[in-house]
Amino acid sequence: MSVIIFILVLGVLIFIHELGHFLVAKKSGIRVDEFAIGFPPRLFSIKKGETAYSLNLIPFGGYVKIYGESPLDGATEKSATDSMINKSKSTQALVLVAGVVFNFLLAMLIFVFLFMKGGEFNTVLVPYATEAPQVRIDFVQDDSLASRAGIIPDDAIVSVTTQEDGVLTDNALILETLYDQKKVETNISLIAQNGTAYEVTLVPENQDQKFGLSLVESVYIKTNPLTATWYGFLATGHLAKLTIIGLFQFFGDLFTGNANFEEVAGPVGIVGLVGQASETGINSILILTAIISINLAVLNLMPFPALDGGRLLIAGIEAVLKRDLNYQKVAIANLIGFALLIGLMILLTFHDIKNLF
């Protein structure tokens, strides 16, 4: 089931990304030869006008074949007015960046919908929210002190009491105390999802026994369309910023040999994340979809050959130099970039599989 949901999520994200390229290219008077979801072999194709709409067997990708996007496809003649390469650099840039913009818009629309629908959101996602945050149970380990005491995920913590610290109601102190786990008798006051208040007392049998709790500080948001749109814009920008910082740190560590692959996930790892999200409901799946969409947008914006950002950089250089770069060298650079990206994806997939055993 996780694989099916993953393929559906990936298919939506790829469709939205390629739809951006497609629509802007069409609007700019550029011929689009094919709009494809997945990579060949082809399952079926329908041609409407000048464009073939295809569904391919391998679901991990997709593409829009734009006439003149590659200088080597024979569309360099100045008479080819519907060729991308013969359009202005600004038009080329708009076509290239359109997929990224659509991915950002999708993430924002998901957040707007969720903020209007209402639900609990991690404060890391919405640090700007004015609503009062609370500590909630994110995960309860099987056969732990917490599970035997009857604590259930998503229940909210009102206070924590220990003989040493007394009654604690501040979120930061609650998180610090429960994560620190001083191995002392701890009373926890909670509110269940149905609104019922209850208390549990956790008494560690020895210094090595853990409570078995994972906590998250969250805030309940249900708001009007205008505020939801503003929150959605802020959430998308905030996550984009965190993604950019994370990517620069990862690739910087990768080049120095200090990359931590535990912090990133390949296709197999993402399937696992989708599976976990599906167990907690549609809101979690939608939030994960928005996060992946933002990651896809940021990754594509990187000035790396074969990515939209790399081709955008080349268009910018050509605009400054007022001449086209050598077609063959650009093609070779894109090929090398694509090979490196595939190599990284294989490495991440290998790491994901290794973690399963």
Side-chain angles (χ1 to χ4, degrees):
M1 187 64 178
S2 298
V3 175
I4 295 174
I5 296 175
F6 168 69
I7 291 175
L8 289 174
V9 168
L10 187 64
V12 169
L13 296 182
I14 292 169
F15 173 77
I16 292 296
H17 182 90
E18 300 303 335
L19 182 65
H21 293 310
F22 173 80
L23 291 177
V24 176
K26 285 279 194 180
K27 188 69 175 178
S28 302
I30 301 171
R31 195 179 87 202
V32 179
D33 293 327
E34 185 178 11
F35 187 132
I37 298 297
F39 290 124
R42 182 176 296 169
L43 294 177
F44 69 85
S45 181
I46 299 174
K47 189 164 185 177
K48 186 176 180 181
E50 62 188 18
T51 306
Y53 300 88
S54 306
L55 180 64
N56 296 326
L57 180 62
I58 302 174
F60 306 114
Y63 59 90
V64 172
K65 189 176 180 182
I66 298 174
Y67 182 56
E69 183 176 15
S70 169
L72 303 181
D73 64 5
T76 59
E77 295 296 330
K78 294 299 181 183
S79 59
T81 57
D82 58 352
S83 167
M84 179 170 171
I85 200 170
N86 288 331
K87 297 295 182 178
S88 68
K89 296 303 178 185
S90 59
T91 298
Q92 293 181 34
L94 286 175
V95 174
L96 290 171
V97 81
V100 167
V101 172
F102 270 51
N103 278 131
F104 279 131
L105 286 175
L106 173 64
M108 179 177 167
L109 289 173
I110 289 174
F111 286 132
V112 171
F113 168 76
L114 290 174
F115 293 147
M116 290 174 60
K117 175 176 177 285
E120 292 287 340
F121 300 92
N122 192 315
T123 52
V124 173
L125 175 65
V126 285
Y128 45 79
T130 58
E131 291 80 359
Q134 59 184 347
V135 177
R136 285 189 170 271
I137 309 299
D138 185 47
F139 174 76
V140 179
Q141 185 177 347
D142 291 338
D143 197 31
S144 63
L145 279 175
S147 66
R148 292 198 293 271
I151 296 178
I152 299 173
D154 287 332
D155 288 354
I157 297 179
V158 178
S159 66
V160 170
T161 306
T162 66
Q163 187 174 3
E164 179 181 347
D165 299 321
V167 180
L168 304 174
T169 57
D170 180 78
N171 286 350
L173 293 177
I174 289 174
L175 289 168
E176 179 184 349
T177 300
L178 292 180
Y179 276 132
D180 184 38
Q181 295 193 16
K182 298 177 180 179
K183 310 300 185 299
V184 296
E185 181 176 315
T186 302
N187 181 270
I188 306 176
S189 297
L190 304 101
I191 296 180
Q193 296 174 63
N194 62 5
T196 303
Y198 70 100
E199 293 186 358
V200 301
T201 300
L202 305 182
V203 185
E205 299 172 0
N206 54 64
Q207 290 296 309
D208 296 324
Q209 189 174 30
K210 297 183 180 298
F211 292 159
L213 283 174
S214 175
L215 308 172
V216 62
E217 190 177 34
S218 68
V219 59
Y220 182 84
I221 298 176
K222 184 174 183 179
T223 187
N224 59 72
L226 185 61
T227 303
T229 300
W230 176 238
Y231 276 10
F233 174 78
L234 291 177
T236 303
H238 179 64
L239 288 177
K241 176 184 174 182
L242 294 180
T243 303
I244 291 170
I245 293 172
L247 279 174
F248 272 99
Q249 288 177 341
F250 173 74
F251 282 109
D253 291 339
L254 186 65
F255 286 121
T256 59
N258 298 315
N260 183 5
F261 286 93
E262 298 295 336
E263 298 178 353
V264 293
V268 176
I270 296 175
V271 170
L273 292 174
V274 171
Q276 294 172 21
S278 66
E279 293 175 0
T280 55
I282 186 64
N283 279 19
S284 296
I285 294 176
L286 289 174
I287 289 173
L288 184 59
T289 300
I291 292 173
I292 296 174
S293 189
I294 291 170
N295 275 262
L296 180 63
V298 171
L299 183 62
N300 264 286
L301 266 181
M302 291 185 66
F304 191 81
L307 295 178
D308 292 336
R311 292 185 292 172
L312 195 61
L313 177 63
I314 291 172
I317 293 173
E318 290 177 339
V320 172
L321 296 178
K322 296 184 178 179
R323 64 178 177 84
D324 294 335
L325 298 179
N326 183 278
Y327 299 156
Q328 286 78 13
K329 290 181 179 179
V330 170
I332 291 172
N334 284 331
L335 184 61
I336 293 173
F338 184 75
L340 289 174
L341 290 173
I342 292 297
L344 179 60
M345 190 62 64
I346 292 172
L347 184 61
L348 291 174
T349 302
F350 174 78
H351 183 267
D352 290 341
I353 294 173
K354 185 181 71 174
N355 286 339
L356 295 177
F357 302 98

